[in-house]
Amino acid sequence: MNTDKLSVRLQTVAKYVPKESRLADIGSDHAYLPSYLVKNGQISFGIAGEVAKGPFQSAEKNVQAEGLTGRISVRMGDGLEVIQPGEVDCITIAGMGGSLIASILESGNEKLGSVKRLVLQPNINAIAIRSWLVEHNWELIAEEIIEEDNKIYEILVAEKGDPLKPYRDIRFETGLLVGPFLLHRKEEAFNKKWSLEKKNWNRIYKQLESAAPSAETEEKKQELLQKITLIEGVLVNEDSQWT
Ligand code: SAM
């Protein structure tokens, strides 16, 4: 991967950045995403935010090497603290856990006033993001699920609006867990992801059955059972090739 050729995962994130956005890419690492977008004329200004020194330095180095210093501002800091209120209208956060992405949005909530679109790519735990979006009046407007190098990724796109709209015709808990748009489409990567998750939950459940009984174990078992039942309802015609 480089600034000319993104991974399919980051290409999918890039696809949802509106043309001419003023973008902040938080946790930018090498700054590949904003560099690619500027070089392709999709945006004219970007901020690459990084909390860690090594990735910050590699972002600076890449942006300089590409001659993009005037158009991409590389800033070191935690989450949204690198942006000024009103400075950007689109934020991308990719390649982290869903809980971390949600906590970055929560801590920087006061910076989101001017932001029209969020494009978020959690590696795990997308439910933490969907829950945060619902609680903060962001409406999920699109979702993608892709498989690359044997890993499955979800991409969530949100704009301010009616946070419950995508969940109206489905069971809310199911939509939060698996994604309302993804649930309707049930693509191959979706079926594979949830078949494998279910297999994993069953394995943990069996382990708990042979553990010493305690209130905590019982609670964990009940939680798993609920999730397994919910996913079984989603994977009605489950394909055994994944399990
Ligand atoms: N966004 C790139 C991608 O998707 O390929 C890089 C993903 S990399 C796995 C995650 C990056 O997020 C790391 O470089 C890490 O230092 C950065 N990061 C983690 N927490 C952060 C935070 N609170 N604020 C800014 N950057 C953060």
Side-chain angles (χ1 to χ4, degrees):
M1 182 162 61
N2 55 45
T3 58
D4 295 312
K5 178 103 183 71
L6 293 181
S7 60
V8 174
R9 176 181 63 83
L10 282 183
Q11 266 174 45
T12 311
V13 173
K15 189 172 99 178
Y16 285 100
V17 174
K19 213 166 161 36
E20 289 310 319
S21 293
R22 293 179 65 83
L23 172 78
D25 181 42
I26 303 300
S28 199
D29 199 354
H30 298 84
Y32 287 152
L33 178 63
S35 302
Y36 170 90
L37 290 167
V38 168
K39 283 170 76 175
N40 285 282
Q42 199 168 326
I43 62 168
S44 47
F45 169 76
I47 294 168
E50 248 302 330
V51 76
K53 198 170 171 195
F56 167 75
Q57 286 171 334
S58 87
E60 270 198 318
K61 199 172 122 221
N62 283 338
V63 166
Q64 267 169 24
E66 297 281 354
L68 298 173
T69 28
R71 298 207 274 162
I72 297 176
S73 171
V74 183
R75 303 179 187 174
M76 191 159 159
D78 187 356
L80 306 191
E81 77 177 22
V82 297
I83 55 179
Q84 299 301 315
E87 205 178 11
V88 298
D89 53 26
C90 180
I91 291 180
T92 50
I93 313 181
M96 303 174 204
S99 305
L100 177 55
I101 294 178
S103 82
I104 288 174
L105 295 170
E106 181 63 28
S107 320
N109 200 13
E110 82 285 3
K111 302 280 180 64
L112 296 178
S114 61
V115 176
K116 296 197 174 81
R117 180 174 287 193
L118 300 169
V119 187
L120 310 167
Q121 183 268 301
N123 289 342
I124 53 165
N125 205 14
I127 187 174
I129 298 181
R130 292 192 191 96
S131 305
W132 188 90
L133 294 172
V134 165
E135 283 159 22
H136 294 81
N137 290 322
W138 286 85
E139 178 182 327
L140 207 50
I141 58 157
E143 289 178 310
E144 297 259 358
I145 187 161
I146 57 136
E147 180 170 5
E148 183 172 42
D149 298 334
N150 270 326
K151 291 194 191 107
I152 295 174
Y153 301 103
E154 288 160 90
I155 293 98
L156 279 54
V157 187
E159 292 187 349
K160 278 177 194 135
D162 173 0
L164 295 178
K165 191 173 163 197
Y167 300 93
R168 288 250 152 76
D169 55 348
I170 54 170
R171 199 172 142 205
F172 184 60
E173 290 74 25
T174 311
L176 276 187
L177 181 66
V178 305
F181 293 92
L182 302 178
L183 177 65
H184 283 301
R185 298 204 301 268
K186 288 191 188 172
E187 290 149 288
E188 185 172 322
F190 175 93
N191 291 328
K192 181 173 178 182
K193 175 186 169 71
W194 292 109
S195 298
L196 292 171
E197 291 278 8
K198 190 186 113 180
K199 188 180 175 197
N200 191 37
W201 293 335
N202 273 319
R203 185 183 54 77
I204 301 169
Y205 187 87
K206 286 210 178 79
Q207 282 172 355
L208 290 175
E209 273 189 322
S210 45
S214 72
E216 204 187 321
T217 312
E218 199 45 45
E219 195 184 324
K220 187 82 199 138
K221 273 169 62 185
Q222 285 312 313
E223 248 176 56
L224 282 167
L225 214 51
Q226 270 177 17
K227 289 207 282 192
I228 291 164
T229 312
L230 189 150
I231 261 340
E232 275 172 349
V234 168
L235 299 169
V236 265
N237 298 316
E238 191 172 352
D239 190 332
S240 60
Q241 67 175 310
W242 316 123
T243 53

